[in-house]
């Protein structure tokens, strides 16, 4: 991304399916967790995008954001429709890998692997709740720092101080909860500057702080989690879902972009 970052592991080893210009990782959760366990020491400084229909359609319409999605280590298929399209295009083992589910998988092996976690984003009260809930649910988890940035652009001095705080904490995983597209742009701008693997997980902080509930497992497995989220926040999400879902169906499924 123009910051001199040199990747230690080969992206060519990660299978991808190009959907509307975005190279979505053609993987499943088992593959991803094994990959992260094996390579975490070599992928610090890089970032993972947790991609869905909304981010994919946004990338299709915004070249610079598409470059951000493709510029990290990988873009994983958080949205069920992405993995569905991938399987139809021949990637039989491709399956949905959601941000919250990935967080849970990593948290559950953190004590054993001595992983260190840093959380950047969300509100101060959410971070406090998050820390409390995680320590209760995952005994031995190491939370080495949390920061709720102001809802504005940081000055150059403030940004440098934030980077220094993160790096001084020596995290393995740096979870970014700023929401799309802000979190992906933030990770791309900090690629090679942060000494930890950055993962943009959107509402993941709220899920684990138990501010909001995830859909029942049958809805998750049926690619209907978006319906559950829509019922929780109809005013904010209806227009987005109507617009992006129709564009995705037309371009990815009908036109095979």
């Amino acid at each position: 991304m123009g910051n001199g970052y040199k990747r230690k592991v080969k992206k060519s080893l990660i299978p991808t399916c190009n959907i509307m210009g975005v190279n979505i990782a053609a993987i499943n959760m088992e593959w991803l967790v094994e990959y992260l366990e094996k390579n975490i020491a070599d992928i610090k400084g890089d970032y993972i995008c947790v991609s869905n229909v909304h981010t994919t359609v946004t990338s299709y319409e915004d070249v610079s954001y598409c470059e951000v999605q493709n510029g990290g280590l990988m873009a994983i298929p958080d949205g069920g429709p992405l993995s569905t399209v991938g399987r139809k295009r021949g990637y039989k083992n491709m399956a949905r890998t959601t941000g919250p589910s990935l967080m849970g998988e990593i948290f559950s092996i953190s004590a054993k692997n001595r992983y260190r976690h840093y959380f950047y984003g969300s509100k101060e009260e959410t971070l406090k709740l998050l820390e409390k809930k995680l320590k209760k649910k995952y005994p031995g988890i190491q939370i080495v720092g949390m920061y709720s940035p102001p809802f504005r652009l940081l000055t150059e001095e403030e940004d440098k101080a934030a980077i220094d705080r993160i790096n001084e904490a020596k995290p393995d995983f740096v979870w970014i909860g700023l929401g799309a597209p802000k979190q992906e742009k933030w990770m791309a701008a900090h690629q090679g500057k942060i000494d930890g693997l950055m993962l943009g997980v959107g509402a993941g902080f709220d899920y684990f702080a138990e501010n909001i509930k995830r859909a029942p497992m049958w809805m998750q497995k049926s690619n209907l989690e978006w319906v559950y989220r829509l019922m929780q926040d109809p005013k904010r999400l209806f227009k987005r879902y109507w617009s992006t879902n129709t564009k995705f169906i037309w371009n990815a499924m009908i036109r095979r972009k």
Side-chain angles (χ1 to χ4, degrees):
M1 300 302 296
N3 56 18
Y5 176 73
K6 292 184 179 180
R7 189 172 281 110
K8 295 180 182 179
V9 296
K10 293 182 179 180
K11 281 186 70 172
S12 59
L13 299 177
I14 302 170
T16 60
C17 175
N18 189 285
I19 301 175
M20 295 175 65
V22 182
N23 298 318
I24 302 295
I27 60 171
N28 53 48
M29 188 64 76
E30 183 180 2
W31 186 98
L32 180 56
V33 173
E34 183 179 340
Y35 177 90
L36 294 177
E37 279 195 280
K38 182 179 178 181
N39 295 290
I40 187 60
D42 295 322
I43 55 181
K44 292 181 179 181
D46 218 329
Y47 66 92
I48 290 177
C49 294
V50 177
S51 304
N52 53 32
V53 167
H54 172 65
T55 61
T56 303
V57 170
T58 302
S59 297
Y60 185 66
E61 297 176 336
D62 182 342
V63 174
S64 62
Y65 186 58
C66 188
E67 290 175 353
V68 166
Q69 286 278 322
N70 289 333
L73 180 65
M74 67 180 98
I76 63 174
D78 175 272
L82 296 179
S83 55
T84 298
V85 168
R87 287 193 299 274
K88 288 183 177 179
R89 295 184 184 181
Y91 297 92
K92 302 300 182 184
N93 294 323
M94 191 171 176
R96 190 178 183 216
T97 52
T98 73
S101 294
L102 176 59
M103 292 173 80
E105 292 285 344
I106 297 300
F107 295 156
S108 67
I109 59 174
S110 288
K112 177 190 72 174
N113 292 337
R114 298 181 180 178
Y115 290 147
R116 298 165 64 85
H117 301 275
Y118 197 102
F119 296 85
Y120 183 99
S122 197
K123 299 176 181 178
E124 196 69 47
E125 52 266 35
T126 296
L127 292 180
K128 289 178 181 178
L129 262 178
L130 177 64
E131 182 174 21
K132 179 182 177 182
K133 300 288 185 180
L134 289 181
K135 286 183 175 179
K136 182 178 180 181
K137 188 172 183 179
Y138 304 99
I141 190 170
Q142 294 186 67
I143 299 173
V144 295
M146 292 180 150
Y147 179 58
S148 174
F151 289 94
R152 57 169 173 78
L153 284 175
L154 271 64
T155 65
E156 190 174 327
E157 292 76 15
E158 288 173 329
D159 187 58
K160 184 181 184 303
I163 293 171
D164 290 343
R165 275 196 301 270
I166 294 171
N167 291 341
E168 286 168 7
K170 294 181 170 53
D172 297 295
F173 294 90
V174 182
W175 304 97
I176 312 297
L178 299 175
K182 186 177 180 180
Q183 63 194 14
E184 289 80 24
K185 292 178 179 179
W186 190 94
M187 293 190 297
H190 292 78
Q191 188 180 42
K193 299 177 182 179
I194 298 295
D195 188 18
L197 176 66
M198 296 172 280
L199 302 98
V201 292
F205 288 23
D206 283 309
Y207 286 128
F208 281 91
E210 297 180 12
N211 287 337
I212 55 177
K213 293 183 178 180
R214 286 196 72 183
M217 189 57 67
W218 71 266
M219 294 188 81
Q220 294 181 40
K221 291 181 177 179
S222 302
N223 291 345
L224 292 174
E225 190 162 14
W226 68 274
V227 176
Y228 190 82
R229 289 197 65 195
L230 179 61
M231 292 189 295
Q232 289 179 311
D233 193 359
K235 288 185 178 180
R236 185 176 70 90
L237 296 176
F238 180 80
K239 186 177 180 180
R240 177 206 287 186
Y241 284 166
W242 174 257
S243 175
T244 57
N245 287 6
T246 52
K247 289 176 181 178
F248 184 84
I249 291 169
W250 171 246
N251 288 291
M253 295 182 171
I254 297 176
R255 299 178 67 203
R256 294 183 61 80
K257 290 286 187 178

